[in-house]
Amino acid sequence: MKGLAASWLIWALLSACFAALTAIFAKVGVANVNSDFATLIRTVIIVGVLSAILAATGQFQPLASISPRTYLFLALSGLATGASWICYFRALKLGEAARVAPIDKLSTVLVAIFGVAFLGERLSGPNWAGVALIACGALLVAYRG
C-alpha cells in the first residue's frame, strides 16, 4: 500500500477525478452567484483546508528557508492559477460543463508544448501523437454539431 501512495500515477488519477467533480460542483455553484465571487469562496475554502492539513501533519516550513527564486515562481504559479480559475468559473457560468471542461483540459496540450519549449523536456513520436489526440478529443467533445 505504501508503494501505491508514492505513485505519481495514483495521485494524477485522483487529481483527474477531483477535477471532474470540481467542474460539476462549480457549474451548480455558480448558477446564482457572480463567478468571480464564487472563485473567492472556493479560494478561501482551499486556503482553510490546506492550512488544516499542514497544521495536522506538521509540514509548515520557516518562510526564510524558501529561496527568492522559489517565491517568484510560486507567485507566478499562483497568479496563473487565479487567472485560470477566474476564466474557468466564468466559462462554467456561461457554458455547459461538458463542453467547458474539455477545452480547459487543452492545458494538457499546452503543458507538453511549454515543457519542451521552456523546460527542455523531450517527447517521443508516440508522445506527440498522444498530445495531438488529446487536442482533437477535447475539441470533438466540446463541438456542438
Side-chain angles (χ1 to χ4, degrees):
M1 188 62 139
K2 185 176 182 176
L4 214 52
S7 169
W8 67 266
L9 183 57
I10 295 300
W11 290 106
L13 289 170
L14 286 170
S15 174
C17 290
F18 287 121
L21 289 172
T22 296
I24 300 304
F25 295 155
K27 177 62 180 173
V28 175
V30 299
N32 297 313
V33 67
N34 174 281
S35 62
D36 293 339
F37 190 69
T39 303
L40 174 65
I41 293 169
R42 173 184 170 177
T43 302
V44 169
I45 291 167
I46 291 168
V47 168
V49 169
L50 281 173
S51 296
I53 290 170
L54 290 173
T57 59
Q59 294 184 68
F60 276 106
Q61 289 181 235
L63 297 178
S65 71
I66 301 169
S67 74
R69 182 179 193 273
T70 298
Y71 275 119
L72 171 65
F73 282 97
L74 290 177
L76 291 171
S77 176
L79 291 170
T81 298
S84 173
W85 289 356
I86 288 168
C87 294
Y88 186 66
F89 269 52
R90 184 74 46 87
L92 282 173
K93 180 86 172 172
L94 300 171
E96 299 170 4
R99 295 177 68 209
V100 169
I103 296 301
D104 177 66
K105 295 312 171 213
L106 285 175
S107 62
T108 304
V109 174
L110 295 174
V111 167
I113 293 167
F114 293 167
V116 169
F118 301 121
L119 302 177
E121 297 178 355
R122 296 183 185 267
L123 296 180
S124 67
N127 297 146
W128 282 115
V131 169
L133 288 171
I134 291 169
C136 290
L139 295 173
L140 286 172
V141 172
Y143 175 74
R144 181 183 296 268

